[in-house]
Amino acid sequence: MTDTAPNRVATALRYRKLAVDAFNEAQAQYEIAVLDHVTARIVEAYPETTHLTFDHSTHDRTVELHGLWTTHHDGTEEPVLDVRRDADTTTLDMAELADDLSDALAGLHSAAWSAVRPDPRPDRRWTLDFPPADRIVRIAELVRAHHPHAQLITVDFAGDTCRVLDVTCADVSQADSGVIKPIRATDERPLWPENTERRITALARQIHALPHLRARHLARVGGPDEHTAFLLLPQTGTSKK
């Protein structure tokens, strides 16, 4: 056996990994695109809707829609449509939308699961939060509610979930406005409440899955094998000078 055989095996394995990575990236892009499509369809018909509730079968991975909901500024929820009771009164094809979500959530590690959280009500199993019209603006609002002078966050995308490693803020106590100060997350001093972390990382993962948003808002940290990235925060109406 010549020494070309091991080289051919190594080359084949390398190309196989590249193919798997490309497939997984395309799959995640598709899952988030379906999520956005379902959101757009429902919001067009019911603009006040912020989330929906559904049951997810562990047997055949299908979704059964329960209801559409709106969340008011004080945090209270109000039903918009009871899907199981009033499906015949809406112009939306709820069965088609349920099929679309079944497809997007079919994988155990689907990127679309980033928008899903357990529902606290005993008669409903899951809540799907609709992505905002501008994900990066919403992230900036959530971050600056706790760190008003934040300029960017560092996000670790390793594995099927992601986490915020630190927040980089402008140090307004210094005369030089270019001075920045990173604030690192620790177990003893988290950057914000757990629910805020969940909302930020869900939107960050969705941005990471969409190439046009990833190219616009994420800057890679380290080499090609690193999973961390800077997420640059835009100026918003809620940010402080």
Side-chain angles (χ1 to χ4, degrees), residues 86-141:
D86 302 324
D88 295 336
T89 67
T90 178
T91 57
L92 289 173
D93 188 334
M94 304 307 294
E96 181 182 1
L97 294 176
D99 287 343
D100 286 342
L101 284 179
S102 297
D103 195 19
L105 297 172
L108 290 174
H109 305 293
S110 165
W113 278 105
S114 63
V116 177
R117 54 185 167 87
D119 192 282
R121 285 173 286 265
D123 58 339
R124 299 179 177 88
R125 294 188 57 190
W126 300 102
T127 292
L128 185 145
D129 294 311
F130 288 175
D134 194 326
R135 288 177 170 90
I136 190 64
V137 167
R138 185 62 184 134
I139 289 177
E141 292 171 347

Side-chain angles (χ1 to χ4, degrees), residues 136-209:
I136 190 64
V137 167
R138 185 62 184 134
I139 289 177
E141 292 171 347
L142 291 168
V143 170
R144 291 188 177 124
H146 299 273
H147 304 280
H149 304 290
Q151 303 299 308
L152 60 87
I153 58 177
T154 307
V155 185
D156 181 6
F157 290 101
D160 299 314
T161 60
C162 64
R163 62 194 178 101
V164 179
L165 300 178
D166 57 51
V167 178
T168 300
C169 302
D171 190 348
V172 297
S173 65
Q174 302 292 327
D176 183 358
S177 59
V179 174
I180 57 175
K181 179 175 60 176
I183 303 173
R184 192 162 186 84
T186 65
D187 292 338
E188 295 76 19
R189 297 187 63 182
L191 296 168
W192 34 62
E194 183 178 348
N195 183 55
T196 301
E197 174 77 3
R198 177 190 63 78
R199 295 164 71 187
I200 291 173
T201 55
L203 295 174
R205 188 180 176 198
Q206 293 165 28
I207 288 174
H208 187 261

Side-chain angles (χ1 to χ4, degrees), residues 31-120:
E31 291 157 354
I32 298 301
V34 172
L35 172 65
D36 283 352
H37 173 72
V38 170
T39 297
R41 291 272 305 278
I42 293 176
V43 171
E44 181 181 30
Y46 301 97
E48 68 274 29
T49 307
T50 56
H51 58 284
L52 62 79
T53 49
F54 67 95
D55 189 31
H56 187 257
S57 170
T58 57
H59 174 66
D60 57 9
R61 314 295 297 174
T62 57
V63 164
E64 179 186 0
L65 298 180
H66 286 189
L68 307 182
W69 297 78
T70 186
T71 302
H72 298 296
H73 292 298
D74 61 1
T76 59
E77 297 180 330
E78 181 181 350
V80 175
L81 180 73
D82 187 324
V83 175
R84 293 170 296 178
R85 185 190 65 198
D86 302 324
D88 295 336
T89 67
T90 178
T91 57
L92 289 173
D93 188 334
M94 304 307 294
E96 181 182 1
L97 294 176
D99 287 343
D100 286 342
L101 284 179
S102 297
D103 195 19
L105 297 172
L108 290 174
H109 305 293
S110 165
W113 278 105
S114 63
V116 177
R117 54 185 167 87
D119 192 282

